[in-house]
Coordinates of all heavy atoms in Angstrom, one line a residue:
M24 N 272.3 66.9 19.0 CA 273.5 66.9 19.9 C 274.4 68.1 19.5 O 275.2 68.0 18.6 CB 274.2 65.5 19.6 CG 273.5 64.4 20.2 SD 274.6 63.1 20.7 CE 275.4 62.6 19.1
S25 N 274.3 69.2 20.1 CA 275.3 70.3 19.9 C 276.4 70.1 20.8 O 276.4 69.6 21.8 CB 274.5 71.7 20.1 OG 274.3 71.8 21.5
Y26 N 277.4 70.7 20.1 CA 278.8 70.5 20.5 C 279.4 71.7 21.2 O 279.8 72.6 20.6 CB 279.6 70.1 19.4 CG 281.0 69.5 19.5 CD1 281.4 68.3 20.2 CD2 282.1 70.2 19.1 CE1 282.5 67.9 20.3 CE2 283.4 69.9 19.3 CZ 283.6 68.6 19.9 OH 284.9 68.1 20.0
Q27 N 279.3 71.8 22.6 CA 279.9 72.8 23.3 C 279.6 74.3 22.7 O 280.5 75.0 22.3 CB 281.3 72.6 23.4 CG 281.7 71.7 24.5 CD 281.8 72.3 25.9 OE1 282.2 73.6 26.0 NE2 281.4 71.7 26.9
G28 N 278.4 74.7 22.6 CA 278.0 76.2 22.3 C 278.7 76.6 21.1 O 278.4 76.2 20.0
S29 N 279.5 77.6 21.2 CA 280.1 78.3 20.1 C 281.3 77.5 19.4 O 281.7 78.0 18.4 CB 280.5 79.7 20.5 OG 281.6 79.6 21.4
G30 N 281.7 76.5 20.0 CA 282.8 75.8 19.3 C 282.6 75.2 18.1 O 282.1 74.0 18.1
K31 N 282.9 75.8 17.1 CA 282.7 75.2 15.7 C 284.0 74.4 15.2 O 283.8 73.7 14.3 CB 282.4 76.3 14.6 CG 281.0 76.9 15.0 CD 280.9 78.1 14.1 CE 279.4 78.8 14.4 NZ 279.5 80.2 13.9
T32 N 285.1 74.6 15.8 CA 286.3 73.9 15.5 C 286.9 73.3 16.7 O 286.7 73.7 17.8 CB 287.2 75.0 14.8 OG1 287.3 76.1 15.7 CG2 286.6 75.6 13.5
P33 N 287.8 72.4 16.4 CA 288.5 71.7 17.6 C 289.3 72.6 18.4 O 289.4 72.6 19.6 CB 289.3 70.7 17.0 CG 288.8 70.5 15.6 CD 288.2 71.8 15.1
Y34 N 289.9 73.6 17.7 CA 290.8 74.6 18.4 C 290.0 75.9 18.7 O 289.2 76.3 18.0 CB 291.9 75.0 17.4 CG 292.9 76.1 17.8 CD1 293.8 76.0 18.7 CD2 292.7 77.3 17.1 CE1 294.6 77.0 19.2 CE2 293.5 78.4 17.5 CZ 294.4 78.2 18.6 OH 295.3 79.3 18.9
Q35 N 290.3 76.3 19.9 CA 289.6 77.5 20.4 C 290.5 78.7 20.9 O 290.0 79.4 21.7 CB 288.6 77.1 21.5 CG 287.5 76.2 21.1 CD 286.5 76.9 20.1 OE1 285.9 78.0 20.4 NE2 286.2 76.4 18.9
G36 N 291.6 78.7 20.3 CA 292.5 79.8 20.8 C 292.5 81.0 19.9 O 291.7 81.1 19.0
D37 N 293.4 82.0 20.1 CA 293.5 83.2 19.3 C 294.3 83.1 18.0 O 294.3 84.0 17.2 CB 294.0 84.3 20.1 CG 293.0 84.7 21.2 OD1 291.8 84.5 21.1 OD2 293.5 85.0 22.4
G38 N 295.2 82.2 18.0 CA 296.2 82.3 17.0 C 295.9 81.4 15.7 O 294.8 80.8 15.5
R39 N 296.8 81.5 14.8 CA 296.6 80.9 13.5 C 297.1 79.5 13.6 O 298.2 79.2 14.3 CB 297.4 81.6 12.4 CG 297.4 81.1 11.1 CD 298.1 82.1 10.0 NE 299.4 82.2 10.3 CZ 300.4 81.5 9.6 NH1 300.0 80.5 8.8 NH2 301.6 81.7 9.9
V40 N 296.5 78.4 13.2 CA 296.9 77.0 13.3 C 296.8 76.4 12.0 O 296.3 76.9 11.0 CB 296.0 76.2 14.4 CG1 296.3 76.7 15.8 CG2 294.5 76.4 14.1
F41 N 297.2 75.1 12.0 CA 297.1 74.3 10.7 C 295.7 73.5 10.8 O 295.6 72.9 11.8 CB 298.4 73.4 10.8 CG 298.4 72.6 9.5 CD1 299.0 73.1 8.3 CD2 298.0 71.3 9.6 CE1 299.0 72.3 7.2 CE2 298.2 70.4 8.4 CZ 298.6 70.9 7.2
G42 N 295.1 73.6 9.7 CA 293.8 73.0 9.7 C 293.7 72.0 8.5 O 294.3 72.2 7.5
E43 N 293.0 71.0 8.8 CA 292.5 70.0 7.9 C 291.1 69.9 7.6 O 290.4 69.8 8.5 CB 293.1 68.7 8.3 CG 294.7 68.7 8.5 CD 295.2 67.2 8.8 OE1 294.7 66.1 8.4 OE2 296.1 67.2 9.8
F44 N 290.7 70.1 6.4 CA 289.4 70.3 6.0 C 289.0 69.1 5.1 O 289.7 68.5 4.3 CB 289.2 71.6 5.2 CG 289.6 72.9 5.9 CD1 291.0 73.2 6.0 CD2 288.7 73.6 6.5 CE1 291.4 74.4 6.7 CE2 289.0 74.8 7.1 CZ 290.4 75.1 7.2
R45 N 287.7 68.9 5.3 CA 287.0 67.8 4.4 C 285.6 68.2 4.1 O 284.9 68.4 5.0 CB 287.0 66.3 4.9 CG 286.6 65.4 4.1 CD 286.7 64.0 4.7 NE 286.1 63.9 6.1 CZ 286.7 63.4 7.1 NH1 287.9 62.7 7.1 NH2 286.2 63.5 8.3
C46 N 285.3 68.4 2.8 CA 284.0 68.9 2.4 C 283.0 67.7 2.6 O 283.3 66.6 2.2 CB 284.0 69.3 1.0 SG 282.3 69.8 0.3
T47 N 281.9 68.1 3.4 CA 280.9 66.8 3.6 C 280.1 66.6 2.3 O 279.5 65.5 2.2 CB 279.9 67.3 4.7 OG1 279.5 68.7 4.3 CG2 280.7 67.3 6.0
K48 N 280.1 67.5 1.3 CA 279.4 67.3 0.0 C 280.1 66.4 -0.9 O 279.7 65.3 -1.5 CB 279.0 68.6 -0.6 CG 277.8 69.3 0.1 CD 277.2 70.4 -0.8 CE 276.0 70.9 -0.2 NZ 275.5 71.9 -1.2
C49 N 281.4 66.9 -1.3 CA 282.1 66.2 -2.4 C 283.3 65.4 -1.7 O 284.1 64.8 -2.6 CB 282.6 67.2 -3.4 SG 283.9 68.3 -2.8
S50 N 283.5 65.4 -0.4 CA 284.6 64.6 0.1 C 285.9 65.2 -0.3 O 287.0 64.5 0.0 CB 284.5 63.2 -0.1 OG 283.4 62.7 0.4
R51 N 286.1 66.3 -0.9 CA 287.3 66.9 -1.1 C 288.0 67.2 0.1 O 287.5 67.8 1.2 CB 287.3 68.2 -2.0 CG 288.4 68.7 -2.8 CD 288.1 69.8 -3.6 NE 287.9 71.1 -2.9 CZ 289.0 71.8 -2.6 NH1 290.3 71.4 -3.1 NH2 288.9 72.9 -1.9
K52 N 289.3 67.0 0.2 CA 290.1 67.3 1.3 C 291.1 68.3 0.9 O 291.7 68.4 -0.1 CB 290.9 66.1 1.8 CG 290.0 65.0 2.4 CD 290.8 63.9 2.9 CE 290.0 62.7 3.4 NZ 290.9 61.6 4.0
W53 N 291.4 69.2 1.9 CA 292.6 70.1 1.8 C 293.1 70.6 3.1 O 292.4 70.3 4.1 CB 292.0 71.4 0.9 CG 291.2 72.3 1.6 CD1 291.5 73.5 2.2 CD2 289.7 72.2 1.7 NE1 290.4 74.1 2.7 CE2 289.3 73.4 2.3 CE3 288.8 71.3 1.1 CZ2 287.8 73.6 2.5 CZ3 287.4 71.6 1.3 CH2 287.0 72.7 2.1
M54 N 294.2 71.2 3.0 CA 294.9 71.7 4.3 C 295.3 73.1 4.1 O 295.6 73.5 3.0 CB 296.2 70.8 4.6 CG 295.8 69.2 4.8 SD 297.3 68.4 5.2 CE 298.0 68.2 3.5
S55 N 295.3 73.7 5.3 CA 295.8 75.1 5.2 C 296.6 75.5 6.5 O 296.2 75.2 7.5 CB 294.5 76.0 5.1 OG 294.9 77.4 5.1
G56 N 297.5 76.3 6.3 CA 298.3 76.8 7.5 C 297.7 78.1 8.0 O 298.1 78.7 8.9
N57 N 296.5 78.4 7.5 CA 295.7 79.5 7.9 C 294.4 79.1 8.4 O 293.3 79.3 7.7 CB 295.6 80.6 6.8 CG 296.8 81.4 6.4 OD1 297.8 80.8 6.0 ND2 296.8 82.6 6.8
S58 N 294.4 78.5 9.5 CA 293.1 78.1 10.0 C 292.9 78.7 11.4 O 294.1 79.0 12.1 CB 293.2 76.6 10.3 OG 292.0 76.0 10.7
W59 N 291.8 79.1 11.8 CA 291.4 79.9 12.9 C 290.4 79.2 13.7 O 289.5 78.6 13.1 CB 291.0 81.3 12.6 CG 292.2 82.1 11.7 CD1 292.2 81.9 10.4 CD2 293.2 82.9 12.2 NE1 293.3 82.7 9.9 CE2 294.0 83.3 11.0 CE3 293.6 83.4 13.5 CZ2 295.0 84.2 11.0 CZ3 294.7 84.2 13.5 CH2 295.3 84.6 12.3
A60 N 290.2 79.6 15.0 CA 289.1 79.1 15.8 C 287.7 79.6 15.3 O 287.6 80.7 14.9 CB 289.3 79.5 17.2
N61 N 286.9 78.8 15.1 CA 285.5 78.9 14.6 C 285.4 79.7 13.3 O 284.4 80.4 12.9 CB 284.8 79.8 15.7 CG 284.7 79.2 17.0 OD1 284.5 78.0 17.1 ND2 285.0 79.9 18.1
M62 N 286.4 79.4 12.5 CA 286.5 80.0 11.1 C 286.6 78.8 10.1 O 287.4 77.8 10.3 CB 287.6 80.9 10.8 CG 287.6 82.1 11.6 SD 286.3 83.3 11.1 CE 286.1 84.2 12.6
G63 N 285.8 78.9 9.0 CA 285.9 77.8 8.0 C 286.5 78.4 6.7 O 286.9 79.5 6.7
Q64 N 286.6 77.4 5.9 CA 286.9 77.8 4.4 C 286.0 77.2 3.4 O 285.6 76.1 3.7 CB 288.4 77.4 4.2 CG 289.4 78.1 5.0 CD 290.9 77.7 4.6 OE1 291.2 77.1 3.6 NE2 291.8 78.2 5.4
E65 N 285.8 77.8 2.3 CA 284.9 77.3 1.4 C 285.5 76.1 0.5 O 286.6 76.4 0.1 CB 284.4 78.4 0.5 CG 283.1 79.1 0.8 CD 282.8 80.3 -0.1 OE1 283.0 80.0 -1.3 OE2 282.4 81.3 0.4
C66 N 284.7 75.2 0.3 CA 285.1 74.1 -0.7 C 285.0 74.9 -2.1 O 284.0 75.4 -2.4 CB 284.1 73.0 -0.7 SG 284.4 71.7 -2.0
Q67 N 286.1 74.7 -2.8 CA 286.2 75.4 -4.1 C 285.2 74.8 -5.2 O 284.8 75.5 -6.0 CB 287.6 75.1 -4.8 CG 288.7 76.0 -4.2 CD 290.0 75.8 -4.9 OE1 290.1 76.1 -6.0 NE2 291.0 75.2 -4.3
S68 N 284.7 73.6 -5.0 CA 283.8 73.1 -5.9 C 282.5 73.3 -5.4 O 281.5 73.7 -6.2 CB 284.0 71.5 -6.0 OG 285.3 71.2 -6.0
C69 N 282.1 73.2 -4.2 CA 280.7 73.3 -3.7 C 280.4 74.7 -3.3 O 279.1 75.0 -3.1 CB 280.5 72.3 -2.7 SG 280.9 70.6 -3.0
K70 N 281.3 75.5 -2.9 CA 281.0 76.9 -2.4 C 280.3 76.8 -1.1 O 279.4 77.6 -0.8 CB 280.3 77.7 -3.5 CG 281.0 77.8 -4.8 CD 282.3 78.5 -4.7 CE 282.9 78.6 -6.2 NZ 284.3 78.8 -6.1
V71 N 280.6 75.8 -0.4 CA 280.0 75.8 1.1 C 281.1 75.9 2.1 O 282.3 75.5 1.8 CB 279.3 74.4 1.2 CG1 278.0 74.3 0.4 CG2 280.2 73.3 1.2
N72 N 280.8 76.6 3.2 CA 281.8 76.7 4.2 C 282.0 75.5 4.9 O 281.1 74.8 5.4 CB 281.2 77.8 5.2 CG 282.3 78.4 6.0 OD1 283.4 78.6 5.7 ND2 282.0 78.5 7.4
V73 N 283.2 75.2 5.0 CA 283.6 73.9 5.7 C 284.6 74.2 7.0 O 285.5 75.0 6.8 CB 284.4 73.0 4.8 CG1 284.9 71.6 5.4 CG2 283.6 72.7 3.5
Y74 N 284.2 73.6 8.0 CA 285.1 73.8 9.3 C 286.1 72.7 9.3 O 285.8 71.6 8.9 CB 284.2 73.9 10.6 CG 283.3 75.2 10.6 CD1 281.9 75.1 10.4 CD2 283.9 76.4 10.9 CE1 281.2 76.1 10.5 CE2 283.1 77.5 11.0 CZ 281.8 77.3 10.8 OH 280.9 78.5 10.8
P75 N 287.3 73.0 9.8 CA 288.3 71.9 9.9 C 287.9 70.9 10.9 O 287.3 71.2 11.9 CB 289.5 72.8 10.3 CG 289.0 74.0 11.0 CD 287.7 74.3 10.3
Y76 N 288.2 69.7 10.6 CA 287.9 68.5 11.5 C 289.1 68.3 12.4 O 288.9 67.6 13.3 CB 287.4 67.3 10.6 CG 288.6 66.6 9.7 CD1 289.5 65.7 10.2 CD2 288.8 67.1 8.5 CE1 290.4 65.1 9.5 CE2 289.7 66.6 7.6 CZ 290.5 65.6 8.1 OH 291.6 65.1 7.2
K77 N 290.2 68.9 11.9 CA 291.4 68.6 12.7 C 292.1 69.9 12.7 O 292.3 70.6 11.5 CB 292.3 67.5 12.3 CG 293.3 67.1 13.1 CD 294.1 66.0 12.4 CE 295.5 65.6 13.2 NZ 296.2 64.6 12.6
Q78 N 292.8 70.4 13.8 CA 293.6 71.5 13.8 C 294.8 71.3 14.8 O 294.6 70.7 15.9 CB 292.9 72.8 14.4 CG 291.8 73.3 13.4 CD 291.1 74.5 14.0 OE1 290.4 74.2 15.1 NE2 290.9 75.6 13.4
T79 N 296.0 71.7 14.3 CA 297.2 71.4 15.1 C 297.9 72.8 15.1 O 298.0 73.5 14.2 CB 298.0 70.3 14.5 OG1 298.1 70.5 13.1 CG2 297.4 68.9 14.8
P80 N 298.6 73.0 16.2 CA 299.4 74.2 16.4 C 300.4 74.4 15.3 O 301.1 73.4 15.0 CB 300.0 74.2 17.8 CG 299.2 73.1 18.4 CD 298.7 72.1 17.4
L81 N 300.8 75.5 15.0 CA 301.9 75.8 14.0 C 303.1 76.2 15.0 O 303.2 77.3 15.3 CB 301.7 77.0 13.1 CG 300.6 76.9 11.9 CD1 300.3 78.2 11.4 CD2 301.3 76.0 10.9
E82 N 303.8 75.2 15.3 CA 304.8 75.5 16.3 C 306.3 75.5 15.6 O 307.0 76.6 16.0 CB 304.9 74.4 17.4 CG 303.8 74.7 18.4 CD 303.7 73.5 19.4 OE1 304.2 72.5 19.3 OE2 302.9 73.7 20.3
K83 N 306.5 74.7 14.8 CA 307.8 74.7 14.2 C 307.8 75.4 12.9 O 307.0 75.0 12.0 CB 308.3 73.2 14.0 CG 308.6 72.4 15.3 CD 308.6 71.0 15.1 CE 307.2 70.4 15.0 NZ 307.1 69.0 14.9
K84 N 308.5 76.4 12.7 CA 308.7 77.2 11.5 C 309.1 76.3 10.3 O 308.7 76.7 9.1 CB 309.6 78.3 11.6 CG 309.0 79.4 12.5 CD 309.6 80.8 12.4 CE 308.8 81.8 13.1 NZ 309.3 83.2 12.9
T85 N 309.9 75.4 10.5 CA 310.4 74.5 9.4 C 309.6 73.4 9.1 O 309.9 72.5 8.3 CB 311.8 74.0 9.7 OG1 311.7 73.3 11.0 CG2 312.8 75.2 9.8
S86 N 308.4 73.3 9.7 CA 307.5 72.1 9.5 C 306.9 72.1 8.1 O 306.9 73.1 7.4 CB 306.4 72.1 10.6 OG 305.5 73.1 10.2
D87 N 306.6 70.9 7.8 CA 305.9 70.6 6.5 C 304.6 71.4 6.4 O 304.1 71.8 5.3 CB 305.7 69.1 6.3 CG 307.0 68.4 6.0 OD1 308.0 69.1 5.6 OD2 306.9 67.1 6.3
Q88 N 304.0 71.7 7.5 CA 302.7 72.3 7.5 C 302.8 73.6 6.8 O 302.1 74.0 5.9 CB 302.3 72.6 9.0 CG 302.1 71.3 9.8 CD 301.7 71.7 11.2 OE1 302.0 72.7 11.6 NE2 301.2 70.6 11.9
D89 N 303.8 74.5 7.1 CA 303.8 75.9 6.6 C 304.3 75.8 5.2 O 303.8 76.5 4.3 CB 304.8 76.7 7.4 CG 304.1 78.0 7.6 OD1 302.9 78.1 7.7 OD2 304.9 79.0 7.7
K90 N 305.2 74.9 4.9 CA 305.7 74.7 3.4 C 304.5 74.3 2.5 O 304.4 74.9 1.5 CB 306.6 73.5 3.3 CG 308.2 74.0 3.6 CD 309.0 72.9 3.3 CE 309.9 72.6 4.5 NZ 310.4 71.3 4.5
C91 N 303.8 73.5 3.0 CA 302.5 73.0 2.3 C 301.7 74.3 1.8 O 301.2 74.3 0.7 CB 301.7 72.0 3.0 SG 300.0 72.1 2.8
D92 N 301.5 75.1 2.7 CA 300.6 76.3 2.5 C 301.2 77.4 1.7 O 300.6 78.1 0.9 CB 300.1 76.8 3.8 CG 298.8 77.7 3.7 OD1 297.9 77.0 3.1 OD2 298.6 78.8 4.0
L93 N 302.7 77.6 1.9 CA 303.4 78.5 1.2 C 303.5 78.3 -0.3 O 303.7 79.2 -1.1 CB 304.7 78.7 1.9 CG 304.9 79.4 3.1 CD1 306.2 79.3 3.8 CD2 304.5 80.9 3.0
Q94 N 303.4 77.0 -0.7 CA 303.6 76.7 -2.0 C 302.4 77.1 -2.9 O 302.6 77.5 -4.0 CB 303.7 75.1 -2.2 CG 305.0 74.7 -1.8 CD 305.2 73.1 -1.6 OE1 304.2 72.4 -1.9 NE2 306.3 72.6 -1.3
K95 N 301.4 77.2 -2.3 CA 300.2 77.8 -3.1 C 299.6 78.9 -2.4 O 299.8 79.1 -1.1 CB 299.1 76.7 -3.2 CG 298.9 76.0 -2.0 CD 297.8 74.9 -2.1 CE 297.8 74.1 -0.8 NZ 296.7 73.5 -0.3
A96 N 299.2 80.0 -3.2 CA 298.7 81.1 -2.5 C 297.5 80.9 -1.7 O 296.7 80.0 -2.0 CB 298.4 82.2 -3.7
H97 N 297.4 81.6 -0.6 CA 296.3 81.4 0.3 C 295.0 82.0 -0.4 O 295.0 83.3 -0.9 CB 296.5 82.2 1.6 CG 295.4 82.2 2.5 ND1 294.8 81.0 2.9 CD2 294.6 83.1 3.1 CE1 293.7 81.3 3.8 NE2 293.6 82.5 3.9
L98 N 293.9 81.4 -0.5 CA 292.8 81.7 -1.2 C 291.8 82.4 -0.4 O 291.0 81.9 0.3 CB 292.1 80.5 -1.8 CG 293.0 79.5 -2.7 CD1 292.4 78.2 -3.0 CD2 293.2 80.3 -4.0
S99 N 292.1 83.8 -0.3 CA 291.4 84.6 0.5 C 289.8 84.6 0.3 O 289.0 84.7 1.3 CB 291.8 86.1 0.4 OG 293.1 86.2 0.7
S100 N 289.5 84.4 -1.0 CA 288.1 84.4 -1.3 C 287.3 83.2 -0.7 O 286.0 83.2 -0.7 CB 287.9 84.4 -2.9 OG 288.5 83.2 -3.4
L101 N 288.1 82.1 -0.2 CA 287.5 81.0 0.2 C 287.6 81.0 1.8 O 287.1 80.1 2.4 CB 288.2 79.8 -0.3 CG 288.1 79.6 -1.8 CD1 289.0 78.3 -2.2 CD2 286.7 79.5 -2.4
C102 N 288.3 81.9 2.3 CA 288.6 81.9 3.8 C 287.7 82.9 4.6 O 287.6 84.1 4.2 CB 290.1 82.3 3.9 SG 290.7 82.5 5.6
E103 N 286.9 82.3 5.4 CA 286.0 83.0 6.2 C 286.7 84.2 7.1 O 286.4 85.3 7.2 CB 285.4 82.1 7.2 CG 284.3 82.8 7.9 CD 283.4 81.8 8.8 OE1 283.7 80.7 8.9 OE2 282.3 82.3 9.3
K104 N 288.0 83.8 7.6 CA 288.8 84.8 8.3 C 289.2 86.0 7.5 O 289.0 87.2 7.9 CB 290.0 84.0 8.9 CG 290.9 84.9 9.8 CD 290.4 85.1 11.1 CE 291.4 85.8 12.0 NZ 290.8 86.0 13.4
C105 N 289.6 85.8 6.3 CA 289.9 86.8 5.4 C 288.8 87.7 5.1 O 288.9 89.0 5.0 CB 290.5 86.3 4.1 SG 292.1 85.5 4.1
K106 N 287.6 87.1 5.0 CA 286.5 87.9 4.6 C 286.1 88.9 5.9 O 285.7 90.0 5.6 CB 285.4 87.1 4.3 CG 285.3 86.4 3.1 CD 284.2 85.4 2.7 CE 284.3 84.5 1.6 NZ 283.4 83.5 1.5
I107 N 286.3 88.3 7.0 CA 285.9 89.1 8.1 C 287.0 90.2 8.4 O 286.6 91.4 8.7 CB 285.8 88.1 9.5 CG1 284.5 87.3 9.4 CG2 285.9 89.0 10.8 CD1 284.4 86.3 10.3
L108 N 288.2 89.9 8.2 CA 289.3 90.9 8.3 C 289.2 92.0 7.2 O 289.7 93.1 7.4 CB 290.7 90.2 8.4 CG 291.0 89.3 9.5 CD1 292.4 88.6 9.2 CD2 291.2 90.2 10.7
G109 N 288.9 91.5 6.1 CA 289.0 92.5 5.0 C 290.3 92.5 4.2 O 290.5 93.2 3.4
Y110 N 291.2 91.7 4.7 CA 292.5 91.4 4.0 C 292.9 90.0 4.3 O 292.3 89.3 5.0 CB 293.6 92.4 4.5 CG 293.7 92.5 6.1 CD1 294.7 91.6 6.6 CD2 293.0 93.4 6.8 CE1 294.9 91.6 8.0 CE2 293.3 93.4 8.2 CZ 294.2 92.4 8.8 OH 294.3 92.5 10.3
N111 N 294.1 89.7 3.7 CA 294.6 88.3 3.6 C 295.0 88.0 5.0 O 296.0 88.7 5.6 CB 295.6 88.2 2.7 CG 296.0 86.7 2.5 OD1 296.0 85.8 3.3 ND2 296.4 86.4 1.3
C112 N 294.5 86.9 5.7 CA 294.8 86.6 7.1 C 296.4 86.2 7.2 O 296.9 86.1 8.1 CB 293.9 85.5 7.7 SG 293.9 84.0 7.0
R113 N 296.8 85.7 6.0 CA 298.1 85.4 5.9 C 299.1 86.4 6.2 O 300.2 86.2 6.8 CB 298.3 84.8 4.5 CG 299.8 84.2 4.2 CD 299.8 82.8 4.4 NE 301.1 82.4 4.8 CZ 301.4 81.1 5.3 NH1 300.4 80.2 5.3 NH2 302.4 80.8 5.6
S114 N 298.8 87.6 6.0 CA 299.7 88.8 6.1 C 299.6 89.4 7.4 O 300.2 90.3 7.8 CB 299.4 89.9 5.1 OG 298.1 90.3 5.3
D115 N 298.8 88.8 8.3 CA 298.6 89.3 9.7 C 299.6 88.7 10.7 O 299.2 88.0 11.6 CB 297.1 88.9 10.1 CG 296.6 89.7 11.3 OD1 297.3 90.7 11.6 OD2 295.9 89.1 12.1
Y116 N 300.8 89.1 10.4 CA 301.8 88.5 11.3 C 302.1 89.4 12.5 O 302.0 90.7 12.3 CB 303.2 88.3 10.5 CG 303.2 87.1 9.7 CD1 303.2 87.4 8.3 CD2 303.2 85.9 10.0 CE1 303.2 86.4 7.4 CE2 303.1 84.9 9.1 CZ 303.2 85.0 7.7 OH 303.2 84.1 6.9
H117 N 302.4 88.9 13.6 CA 302.5 89.8 14.8 C 304.0 89.5 15.3 O 304.5 88.4 15.3 CB 301.6 89.5 15.9 CG 300.1 89.9 15.5 ND1 299.7 91.1 15.4 CD2 299.2 89.0 15.1 CE1 298.5 91.0 14.9 NE2 298.1 89.8 14.8
Ligands
LIG29 ZN1 282.8 70.2 -1.8
LIG30 ZN1 292.6 83.6 5.2

């Protein structure tokens, strides 16, 4: 049962969104304000790429979503988007 062709993530737009991740191997959960369409992040323990099971738009600048991510540095080495860009996707503001 494949899920709509290239759609690896619930969100399919161009912007950065808030993503919630859950590793299928160790069940570790994490959240990131740097989530992108069809981009995953690696589980720190298992080193496997995990796609977000839930993504929500980053609309409100004062939301808890962004605070949550700002408190800890964005882990570029675990982020598929950063690897593709070659720099921290967090710094890619427009
Ligand atoms: Zn894991
Ligand atoms: Zn990134």
